[in-house]
Amino acid sequence: MKIKKIEWRNFSSYGNKTQTLLLEERNSLFQIVGENGAGKSSISQVITFGLYGKLEGKKLKDIPNRINGNAWVRITLEHQSTEVVIERGLDPSLFRIFLNGKEFDQAGVKSLQDYLTEDILGVPYYVFNNTISLSINDFKSFLKMAPADKRSILDKIFGFNVLNQMKEILKSELRKLKGDLDILSGKQSSMESSIQNTQKEIERVLEAIQTQTQQQDEELEKSLQTFQDLKKIHDQKISEFRVIEAEVNKKSNEITSLVFDHESKLRDFDRKLKLYDSQKCPTCTSDLSSEFHLGMKEALISEKTKVQDHLDGILAESKKLDVLKSEHSSTRQSLAEKGAKINSKVESIQNELRKLKVDNKNLQVEPLERIIESLSQERTTIIEDKVKKESHQSLMKTVDEILGDKGVKQMAIRTILPSLNSEITNLLRKINLPHQVMFDEEFNAMISHMGIEIPVQTLSTGEMKKVDFVVLIAILKLMKMKFNSINLLFLDELFSSVDPEGVHSILSILKSVAEELGLNIFVINHAPMPNEIFDYKIEITKKNNFSGFVLDKF
């Protein structure tokens, strides 16, 4: 990924006029100057939004110019000999990618942004966001920040976030394993208790069987007789109900027949009356409007009214029968349920009596023995499952330690540290700072002056600024080895509190870094800087509430 051209309008303080920034093939050092609020930092935000569609700590609604709105960005870059053009606006529908002038077809791609990030840019958002636009103030507290905050930054820079995600998944699995083991332990304890209690129950049952059998037999016989008598009464009620229900059904059928007959008569009346409505016979065309015919019509209407009245009465009776049939349906269901319960109880008591009449004490003991056998098998299964899970838990704890700060991370840091410390030493020498800064495996900074270790707090503001810059550049070189496709770097307000000699030294280092790492480095400052080291100067001004820039080449 090599960015070649950036275009934008209506972004932040920039107006409707399209701004265009071309990046030449050679690696260059740019200075961006302008008053506070002129729009210097917006250039890096334009690139980040154009590539990723979002900005850290900024809502989308706050991105466009307040007057014109409708922010728009277009970025042209080169990827594996392919010209890629990315066009984006605030509206999600305004997001297109062109490959060698042809719009990319999104069909079959899970996400257009994922395709852009993974297949073209090759750089995750958090890495790009922490590489393309850096303020030295962001690293100001790196030497003395809390260990947790320091680890968070290192995880992002060196890609340890994958290990962190694996560790979180592992922690979740370990919590689940512990919960499973607690449950299994509880089940095992419960099984042991159940086996002991069942064994005691067998002993008690054997002692009580003889005395209980006779008593139970008498009680069951008495109970059986009671339910058999109840069954006879219930059967009689069912017989009586069926007689009543049959009469209602017969009457209902008769009414249904009468309804059909009356409805047929009404249709016949309607057919006859329809002849009189036309006032002519459809067959012989004779006149049907005479008094004779009108009298016949009135007679038909009168008869139809009587039939209709009779039908209404029949229908009313039918509704009453429907209500009665519904009640009968509920009664039938209730009788059936009660009968089923009675029959079930009779059958249950008879089964109990058959069991009691079999002279075999083991009938009551065998189920308990089967329970003990089943519980013992379950206990064995639980113990085996516990052994497997405990073994798995031990393995996962080992993996958790490997993924932790004392494991793989520390091994990686041990590999990184010599190069990092060596680079810091070289850079400190180049800016003539008579200090030595070394990081240990915990990434704690040890600062010494003339061989004597000194606290970080004893550094002056300017010295701290220079040390921060050196650490930043050293880490940037390591990052560039992993994400070598990045060709931009923005440094915002780098030179505040730095003396003129330090400014010149830092600029010299940035010039060499631009050439060594293949970067176009943009140094943002509100005041002009010495021009002899820079290749370009971008001067940003704000007129009539809108920003614009002029690019000068040295």
Side-chain angles (χ1 to χ4, degrees):
M1 178 196 69
K2 188 173 185 180
I3 296 177
K4 300 169 68 176
K5 182 165 67 172
I6 306 121
E7 301 170 86
W8 72 94
R9 61 174 174 264
N10 294 324
F11 194 101
S12 191
S13 59
Y14 291 87
N16 200 38
K17 178 184 177 182
T18 300
Q19 308 290 322
T20 303
L21 179 60
L22 293 171
L23 300 181
E24 295 185 0
E25 292 294 327
R26 66 192 183 97
N27 307 310
S28 304
L29 190 61
F30 294 75
Q31 65 165 310
I32 302 177
V33 298
E35 296 295 329
N36 290 334
K40 301 187 297 297
S41 300
S42 297
I43 298 178
S44 64
Q45 294 177 357
V46 164
I47 298 173
T48 305
F49 173 74
L51 296 181
Y52 296 94
K54 56 185 177 180
L55 291 176
E56 192 75 20
K58 203 166 190 177
K59 297 179 180 178
L60 291 181
K61 64 182 182 66
D62 298 326
I63 291 176
N65 182 280
R66 295 190 185 96
I67 298 175
N68 296 330
N70 299 319
W72 172 88
V73 175
R74 180 164 59 202
I75 296 177
T76 303
L77 56 88
E78 183 181 313
H79 171 67
Q80 297 178 353
S81 302
T82 299
E83 183 184 75
V84 180
V85 177
I86 304 156
E87 186 176 6
R88 192 192 297 269
L90 288 181
D91 189 337
S93 63
L94 183 51
F95 175 32
R96 299 184 293 175
I97 298 175
F98 297 86
L99 306 178
N100 288 332
K102 184 178 180 180
E103 185 170 359
F104 176 70
D105 184 5
Q106 191 179 350
V109 179
K110 60 179 180 180
S111 164
L112 190 59
Q113 183 60 54
D114 288 345
Y115 169 76
L116 173 61
T117 303
E118 297 169 9
D119 294 11
I120 295 179
L121 303 180
V123 181
Y125 168 73
Y126 71 83
V127 173
F128 191 87
N129 195 47
N130 285 277
T131 304
I132 194 171
S133 181
L134 293 173
S135 170
I136 193 66
N137 292 324
D138 295 335
F139 283 76
K140 184 174 182 179
S141 61
F142 188 84
L143 300 177
K144 51 185 179 180
M145 67 172 55
D149 296 333
K150 199 179 299 181
R151 279 196 299 271
S152 176
I153 291 177
L154 293 173
D155 288 346
K156 290 183 178 180
I157 291 175
F158 298 117
F160 293 156
N161 61 304
V162 176
L163 297 178
N164 292 339
Q165 292 171 5
M166 293 172 62
K167 190 172 174 64
E168 285 302 315
I169 294 172
L170 200 63
K171 282 183 178 179
S172 176
E173 186 64 22
L174 280 169
R175 285 194 294 269
K176 183 177 180 300
L177 266 177
K178 184 180 182 303
D180 291 345
L181 284 170
D182 289 343
I183 291 172
L184 288 173
S185 296
K187 285 184 177 180
Q188 182 182 356
S189 176
S190 177
M191 291 293 175
E192 299 286 357
S193 177
S194 296
I195 290 172
Q196 292 177 4
N197 291 336
T198 306
Q199 288 173 335
K200 291 179 181 179
E201 182 66 13
I202 289 175
E203 296 172 1
R204 188 190 65 79
V205 167
L206 288 173
E207 294 174 358
I209 280 177
Q210 189 63 38
T211 54
Q212 288 180 347
T213 300
Q214 183 63 35
Q215 181 182 354
Q216 289 177 350
D217 185 73
E218 293 174 357
E219 291 176 353
L220 286 171
E221 288 288 355
K222 186 184 296 183
S223 180
L224 178 62
Q225 186 61 48
T226 300
F227 278 98
Q228 285 176 337
D229 293 343
L230 185 62
K231 186 175 184 300
K232 290 179 182 178
I233 297 172
H234 184 266
D235 291 342
Q236 180 64 31
K237 286 186 178 180
I238 289 177
S239 298
E240 293 172 356
F241 171 75
R242 285 174 178 169
V243 172
I244 297 171
E245 188 178 36
E247 291 177 357
V248 172
N249 288 338
K250 180 180 178 183
K251 190 171 183 181
S252 176
N253 292 335
E254 291 173 353
I255 286 178
T256 300
S257 178
L258 286 172
V259 168
F260 178 79
D261 181 60
H262 281 62
E263 288 178 343
S264 178
K265 287 180 180 180
L266 288 172
R267 286 194 296 271
D268 188 52
F269 282 129
D270 290 337
R271 181 179 58 78
K272 290 178 180 179
L273 289 170
K274 191 174 182 181
L275 293 176
Y276 288 100
D277 291 340
S278 63
Q279 296 184 349
K280 288 184 180 294
C281 178
T283 304
C284 61
T285 68
S286 60
D287 186 20
L288 298 179
S289 61
S290 65
E291 290 185 5
F292 171 74
H293 291 99
L294 291 175
M296 290 182 68
K297 181 179 179 182
E298 290 297 328
L300 286 171
I301 293 173
S302 176
E303 289 182 25
K304 178 185 175 183
T305 302
K306 291 178 181 178
V307 172
Q308 182 64 56
D309 291 342
H310 193 204
L311 176 61
D312 291 342
I314 292 171
L315 290 173
E317 183 67 20
S318 177
K319 287 183 180 179
K320 292 179 181 179
L321 284 175
D322 287 341
V323 173
L324 189 58
K325 285 169 71 177
S326 177
E327 293 174 353
H328 282 177
S329 176
S330 299
T331 302
R332 189 188 317 110
Q333 182 177 353
S334 176
L335 288 171
E337 290 174 354
K338 290 178 180 177
K341 290 180 180 178
I342 293 171
N343 290 332
S344 175
K345 190 64 178 177
V346 169
E347 184 178 352
S348 175
I349 294 172
Q350 288 173 338
N351 287 334
E352 290 294 327
L353 282 169
R354 281 193 293 270
K355 290 178 182 178
L356 284 173
K357 289 174 182 178
V358 177
D359 187 16
N360 189 352
K361 297 179 181 179
N362 290 333
L363 283 176
Q364 295 188 47
V365 175
E366 284 178 359
L368 295 173
E369 290 177 339
R370 286 196 295 271
I371 290 173
I372 290 178
E373 183 181 357
S374 175
L375 290 172
S376 298
Q377 290 175 352
E378 287 186 45
R379 178 181 60 185
T380 301
T381 302
I382 288 171
I383 292 173
E384 291 173 352
D385 199 9
K386 273 186 66 180
V387 170
K388 290 179 182 178
K389 288 187 180 295
E390 285 170 350
S391 176
H392 187 43
Q393 184 187 47
S394 176
L395 175 62
M396 294 188 75
K397 284 182 177 179
T398 302
V399 175
D400 183 58
E401 292 175 1
I402 292 172
L403 295 176
D405 293 333
K406 300 294 184 181
V408 175
K409 287 185 182 180
Q410 194 168 66
M411 291 174 61
I413 290 174
R414 284 174 184 170
T415 304
I416 293 167
L417 276 179
S419 298
L420 181 65
N421 286 330
S422 176
E423 187 63 38
I424 291 173
T425 299
N426 292 335
L427 291 172
L428 287 172
R429 190 179 297 118
K430 287 182 180 180
I431 62 172
N432 299 316
L433 192 64
H435 294 78
Q436 185 177 19
V437 178
M438 302 287 289
F439 286 96
D440 61 17
E441 292 181 2
E442 299 295 329
F443 246 83
N444 297 312
M446 294 175 290
I447 305 176
S448 59
H449 179 61
M450 299 181 67
I452 301 174
E453 187 172 346
I454 61 173
V456 175
Q457 293 80 2
T458 61
L459 295 177
S460 66
T461 302
E463 288 173 334
M464 179 68 76
K465 185 76 72 171
K466 291 177 183 178
V467 172
D468 288 334
F469 167 75
V470 165
V471 173
L472 185 154
I473 295 300
I475 292 177
L476 177 64
K477 286 190 175 185
L478 291 176
M479 285 193 296
K480 184 66 175 176
M481 293 170 63
K482 182 178 180 181
F483 304 104
N484 58 5
S485 61
I486 298 172
N487 72 327
L488 291 176
L489 173 65
F490 281 82
L491 297 173
D492 197 351
E493 297 296 344
L494 179 66
F495 298 108
S496 59
S497 304
V498 178
D499 57 81
E501 181 182 353
V503 170
H504 191 275
S505 299
I506 290 173
L507 288 176
S508 298
I509 291 175
L510 288 177
K511 182 67 174 177
S512 63
V513 167
E515 296 172 356
E516 178 186 349
L517 302 184
L519 294 173
N520 287 294
I521 300 180
F522 293 79
V523 179
I524 302 173
N525 206 48
H526 71 280
M529 292 171 286
N531 295 331
E532 59 271 13
I533 295 180
F534 288 95
D535 300 295
Y536 296 93
K537 181 172 76 172
I538 299 176
E539 185 169 1
I540 300 177
T541 57
K542 193 172 184 180
K543 296 180 180 179
N544 299 324
N545 294 320
F546 293 112
S547 298
F549 71 86
V550 175
L551 177 65
D552 291 329
K553 182 176 181 180
F554 298 129

